[in-house]
Amino acid sequence: MEYEAVIGLEVHAELCTASKVFCGCATTFGAPPNNQVCPVCLGLPGALPALNRRALEYAIAAGLALNCQIASTCQFDRKQYYYPDLPKAYQITQYHQPLCTGGCLEIMTKQGLKRVGITRIHLEEEAGKTVHAGSTGITGAQYALIDYNRCGIPLIEIVSGPDLRFPEEAKLFLEKLRSILCYLGVSDGKMEEGSLRCDANVSVRPVGEQAMGKRAEIKNLNSFRAVQAALAYEIRRQMELAASGTPLAMEEARAWDEQSGMTVYMRPKEQPHEYRYYPDPDLMPVVISSAWVEEIGRTIPELPDAKYDRYTRQWGLASHDAWLIAAEQKLAAYFEAVVESFSGNPKTVSHWVLGEFSRLLNLEKTAIDAVKIRPRDFAVLLERLAAGTVSGNTAKTVLETMFYTGQDPDTIIREQGLAQISDVQQLQELVAAVLAAHPGPVADYRAGKAKAFDYLVGQVMKATRGRANPEVVRQILIAELVPAEKPAKQ
Ligand code: ADP
Ligand code: MG
Ligand code: ZN
């Protein structure tokens, strides 16, 4: 029997507000442990929470960008469980009425465009952080340290429909989501710092079956790679179990073990009633007027999908290139600034931005904000290239110098004598000298060895340190080498 996987993600994104969601403590990452705490986020008796307006606005913006309905009131519930990193022994979250519902997000899969449902988005608070110490790994640890700095940082949980079928689709979904949240400026999307992470729910069923099988929930995945690898492993495991007649009997929570490359059983999956959810009596419902929602809607910038459409339809960029640029807001803004001051084709710009420019960015681990090349200068360089003032190879050298020094291209070309030689008479003299110095290859060429032609072109390029215009050189060579046959390939 053939099986298919059914995947749904619960993504947690920390909102990048300056202060926490129910108190005034700072949210700065990396502060010394237990320095950003107060009676509210430490859960001391009698302390009262007050909702951070900005956190609610950010959550609403995320809902709008993901095409959700926004609830008319914001209500909170207490989710009770006992854990050392949760000092109140309950988490303030939204259970009975999530803030946003019924949205969707589109991803470009191998099979084409796919619409993935966003079941709900709710606003909640972070728990603290437990550091297992004294040895390596949780099981070997001798003691645990607790840092409450993270306690009470606002979080949105975004729950997808069970619409994903492959680990690759889960990755695409996460990438798109991350890109959108970063565009909105509501989250920094840093998976490596834990501000974006997800639980992956997965089950398998025979192809053609409508009902979903029992699922495993893989907790706390914090890289794109982990999500894909954990899902691939778990799908294989469940398919093998199903094929041998012993499918999952109970829903379970599992953990991803990076080292062994396996998911490991943690506990049976909790049922909602076990958390004894009830409305938080300390937090009154907040009315969300449609005027307020509209106002928040107006702050949403052009999102990656819209940019992608513009780049492909209006500017003719290849799909892959358009997405690579559109996915990153700052790169997209830079790219658009270069296109704006460039007289040529935007595709030339994308080619250079994704090619040589990105190579330098990666090589030097430079953030796009710190780039020294002014967009106008980038455009000028591409114009010099188009006009034949510099060759393609030289343009790369010039770009590199621009990258490190911030100088403009014309100054670099002038000072380093990099202008391309297109002057026919000058090149004719050079060609004549090369032909005189290499009678062997000339004879070879005349005897029908086409390769000798490329050798001769190479010699002229060498004599000019790569500055000769290769097209002009080729034409002169062809003319000079007559009356031999035309080169076989040209
Ligand atoms: P919870 O895990 O908190 O009980 P839900 O039941 O709403 O919450 O499901 C959470 C996620 O699990 C959603 O993304 C949903 O699409 C996905 N999901 C639910 N049932 C299955 C299933 N049988 N197989 C795969 N994914 C599932
Ligand atoms: Mg869950
Ligand atoms: Zn606090």
Side-chain angles (χ1 to χ4, degrees):
M1 198 181 304
E2 237 201 291
Y3 293 92
E4 69 171 0
V6 174
I7 303 166
L9 300 181
E10 295 166 89
V11 183
H12 290 98
E14 276 183 10
L15 300 179
C16 45
T17 51
S19 59
K20 294 185 179 179
V21 59
F22 299 118
C23 64
C25 292
T27 57
T28 326
F29 181 81
N34 298 307
N35 264 250
Q36 294 172 163
V37 291
C38 75
V40 173
C41 54
L42 285 175
L44 301 188
L48 287 173
L51 177 61
N52 179 335
R53 181 191 176 98
R54 182 57 61 80
L56 180 53
E57 286 175 346
Y58 279 3
I60 292 172
L64 291 175
L66 296 169
N67 313 295
C68 293
Q69 305 290 320
I70 310 298
S72 55
T73 53
C74 171
Q75 289 173 289
F76 291 98
D77 301 293
R78 292 184 177 184
K79 176 182 184 178
Q80 349 239 351
Y81 64 94
Y82 180 83
Y83 204 73
D85 65 16
L86 189 74
K88 298 195 297 294
Y90 64 83
Q91 178 195 30
I92 304 177
T93 180
Q94 299 187 301
Y95 179 71
H96 293 105
Q97 194 194 95
L99 183 64
C100 319
T101 49
C104 66
L105 179 151
E106 285 179 342
I107 53 173
M108 184 63 88
T109 71
K110 287 197 192 87
Q111 289 81 31
L113 207 60
K114 174 165 193 162
R115 178 169 291 195
V116 182
I118 301 291
T119 312
R120 61 175 198 268
I121 304 176
H122 62 255
L123 181 58
E124 60 186 26
E125 58 178 347
E126 269 280 24
K129 204 171 181 171
T130 311
V131 182
H132 298 275
S135 178
T136 50
I138 291 182
T139 42
Q142 275 141 6
Y143 57 93
L145 297 169
I146 301 189
D147 178 4
Y148 288 119
N149 282 351
R150 210 179 63 173
C151 241
I153 287 180
L155 205 65
I156 48 176
E157 177 174 333
I158 300 153
V159 182
S160 86
D163 302 333
L164 302 159
R165 294 290 171 268
F166 303 98
E168 164 82 5
E169 291 185 357
K171 189 195 78 166
L172 291 171
F173 176 85
L174 264 184
E175 280 178 349
K176 189 64 158 295
L177 187 59
R178 176 178 180 274
S179 167
I180 291 172
L181 296 176
C182 290
Y183 263 78
L184 295 172
V186 307
S187 172
D188 65 18
K190 288 183 183 161
M191 296 192 89
E192 67 284 6
E193 288 182 8
S195 48
L196 189 75
R197 51 193 199 268
C198 89
D199 300 340
N201 296 266
V202 56
S203 60
V204 299
R205 66 182 173 194
V207 172
E209 171 74 55
Q210 287 302 306
M212 294 194 289
K214 288 219 163 41
R215 73 181 130 145
E217 179 172 344
I218 314 165
K219 304 295 263 185
N220 251 317
L221 298 163
N222 58 8
S223 72
F224 293 118
R225 195 169 34 82
V227 171
Q228 260 188 294
L231 279 170
Y233 174 85
E234 182 61 19
I235 290 168
R236 202 175 336 111
R237 188 183 78 90
Q238 288 187 23
M239 284 186 178
E240 281 169 13
L241 286 174
S244 63
T246 54
L248 293 194
M250 274 214 309
E251 307 217 303
E252 54 191 42
R254 300 181 73 85
W256 169 240
D257 184 52
E258 191 81 55
Q259 228 117 59
S260 63
M262 297 194 288
T263 64
V264 288
Y265 176 83
M266 288 166 75
R267 53 176 186 257
K269 189 174 155 41
E270 307 82 357
Q271 294 307 307
H273 66 260
E274 295 178 273
Y275 289 116
R276 298 291 189 271
Y277 286 100
Y278 73 94
D280 191 313
D282 288 344
L283 286 156
M284 291 293 98
V286 175
V287 173
I288 303 170
S289 70
S290 50
W292 189 22
V293 173
E294 275 166 33
E295 199 183 306
I296 295 166
R298 280 194 292 275
T299 66
I300 294 179
E302 184 186 30
L303 293 174
D305 279 344
K307 283 200 188 293
Y308 172 88
D309 279 351
R310 214 153 47 77
Y311 295 172
T312 50
R313 296 205 182 135
Q314 228 165 294
W315 290 351
L317 262 61
S319 170
H320 182 69
D321 294 358
W323 171 245
L324 280 180
I325 296 174
E328 255 193 85
Q329 189 177 32
K330 284 176 180 165
L331 184 66
Y334 187 86
F335 165 71
E336 289 182 29
V338 179
V339 168
E340 214 155 276
S341 54
F342 180 51
S343 57
N345 191 330
K347 277 166 83 167
T348 308
V349 180
S350 71
H351 175 79
W352 279 81
V353 163
L354 291 174
E356 193 59 13
F357 181 67
S358 290
R359 186 186 71 79
L360 290 164
L361 285 183
N362 293 337
L363 182 73
E364 299 297 334
K365 300 196 171 35
T366 308
I368 198 98
D369 319 74
V371 164
K372 289 184 184 156
I373 306 175
R374 285 174 297 263
R376 173 64 198 143
D377 286 341
F378 203 138
V380 168
L381 173 64
L382 298 183
E383 279 162 13
R384 299 294 174 264
L385 174 64
T389 312
V390 290
S391 67
N393 268 336
T394 306
K396 281 188 189 167
T397 312
V398 176
L399 190 77
E400 196 168 316
T401 308
M402 291 164 72
F403 184 84
Y404 289 112
T405 66
Q407 274 184 307
D408 71 276
D410 287 336
T411 304
I412 297 167
I413 293 167
R414 194 179 56 248
E415 286 183 355
Q416 300 189 17
L418 293 172
Q420 182 163 257
I421 307 168
S422 299
D423 182 81
V424 177
Q425 201 182 333
Q426 193 182 347
L427 289 177
Q428 271 170 338
E429 284 164 19
L430 274 161
V431 167
V434 164
L435 293 182
H438 298 89
V442 172
D444 285 349
Y445 174 72
R446 293 204 158 119
K449 285 192 188 155
K451 263 198 184 146
F453 186 80
D454 294 333
Y455 176 80
L456 292 168
V457 174
Q459 289 307 308
V460 180
M461 297 309 289
K462 197 172 156 194
T464 57
R465 287 184 298 123
R467 289 181 304 131
N469 181 329
E471 241 341 280
V472 179
V473 171
R474 284 176 169 276
Q475 279 161 20
I476 295 171
L477 267 173
I478 291 169
E480 289 293 320
L481 289 167
V482 165
E485 288 165 47
K486 286 247 185 295
K489 67 170 171 85
Q490 222 264 81

